Amino acid sequence: MKSILITGGAGFIGVNAANHFYNLGWEINILDNLSRHGSERNLTWLKNKLRKINFFKIDIRDKSALEEIFKNNKFDLILHLAAQVAVTKSCENPREDFEINALGTFNILESIRLYMPKAFIINASTNKVYGSLESVETKLDKSGYSFKKLNHGISENHPLDLHSPYGCSKGIGDQYTIDYSRIFELNATTFRQSCIYGKHQFGIEDQGWVAWFSIAALLDKQISFFGDGWQTRDILDVRDLCKAYELAWMNRENISGQAFNIGGGSSNTICLRKLISKIEQNLNKKINPILKETRPGDQPVYISNIQKAKQMLSWEPEISIDKGLSQLINWIKENKNLF
């Protein structure tokens, strides 16, 4: 039986990945410090659903505790999701952001290098490593912002431009992962993930905006647009992301040392205003967002060019925005008491 360790495994992506690999017959190991809102509820759900999981309550900043885990266990795949995930929080406390995202990822890579060098690691990075994309020409129409020339979006060849403490700390982890594969011959890849949404996402205003808009609308809370509301993103259902993780494992020998942009791509893009309209239709209620100043490093448009993942992983999104959003809203309705 293959064994997976998921750091940040009690988070929204983590529990979905655990469920996905469990259904494939894998042994599931979860490492999490349970600091994020909703993580304890997610872990309880996971323990109730799966027959057996191994849980380690550890903070990835704790080098000694991590090393003990890697000394005394064997994992075939490490899915590194543990992170500080909000740009706004990184600006409020950049040291903590650095220690979690940069030093924490370094601790994971060192533990693998020293004690489990044959394992394969997928590092969850972010599209924020490309910065605010000020050099890329954009246009605005009734569908939102779009790129003037990049029809398929931003590719992995686009220059890195680390904006905000969050962008810097995640960029460090991104580049260390690639370099550890090159210098120390670790089997590793980094996924520059775009906007992921789905069940078990306890979204808040500064992170997880698709879920947050849905939660806030259902609970009659105020929704804010940080900018004019025409900002456009490619969004991806978490189940499609989990399939990409699976395919990365299957193609690990060919993709080690490389980065992949993983998101909804050009066929799954939506602006904030259009998303609100879809939520209004689903809930049959009017929503009145307010406008606030744009946040540091925020991009008017970001769309992942996913051609490399299509070619090398034989992967592409299968779940439409309408289907994924409807199922997310239904989950929020069923678990309204948790918010």
Side-chain angles (χ1 to χ4, degrees), residues 137-298:
E137 291 185 300
T138 63
K139 60 183 179 181
L140 176 61
D141 57 29
K142 62 182 180 180
S143 296
Y145 289 99
S146 60
F147 297 125
K148 281 187 177 180
K149 298 178 181 179
L150 303 176
N151 294 331
H152 291 294
I154 301 296
S155 78
E156 295 83 357
N157 294 325
H158 194 88
L160 301 188
D161 187 15
L162 309 182
H163 283 216
S164 79
Y166 173 74
C168 290
S169 65
K170 290 297 286 184
I172 289 169
D174 179 295
Q175 291 300 285
Y176 257 83
T177 300
I178 292 172
D179 200 57
Y180 262 53
S181 178
R182 178 167 49 216
I183 299 299
F184 299 116
E185 298 184 345
L186 290 192
N187 300 308
T189 188
T190 191
F191 274 16
R192 294 169 184 163
Q193 297 170 183
S194 195
C195 302
I196 313 300
Y197 71 96
K199 296 177 182 179
H200 304 285
Q201 187 173 29
F202 292 86
I204 55 176
E205 187 173 58
D206 59 357
Q207 198 277 328
W209 59 277
V210 177
W212 165 246
F213 284 178
S214 304
I215 293 165
L218 192 64
L219 300 181
D220 296 317
K221 295 185 177 183
Q222 183 63 61
I223 292 174
S224 302
F225 290 157
F226 292 89
D228 58 16
W230 294 108
Q231 299 100 304
T232 300
R233 299 288 185 271
D234 63 322
I235 65 176
L236 182 70
D237 188 287
V238 68
R239 292 166 292 181
D240 280 328
L241 175 63
C242 292
K243 184 64 178 179
Y245 293 149
E246 176 191 343
L247 290 169
W249 163 258
M250 293 171 63
N251 292 278
R252 60 193 179 279
E253 294 180 1
N254 297 325
I255 67 171
S256 191
Q258 300 191 51
F260 289 86
N261 289 348
I262 302 292
S266 56
S267 61
N268 288 283
T269 65
I270 194 166
C271 75
L272 307 189
R273 292 176 184 262
K274 295 291 185 182
L275 180 68
I276 290 294
S277 294
K278 288 183 179 293
I279 296 172
E280 287 179 329
Q281 293 170 14
N282 189 288
L283 298 179
N284 193 28
K285 68 189 299 184
K286 181 65 178 174
I287 303 170
N288 297 299
I290 60 174
L291 301 183
K292 293 185 177 181
E293 291 186 8
T294 302
R295 294 174 292 194
D298 203 7

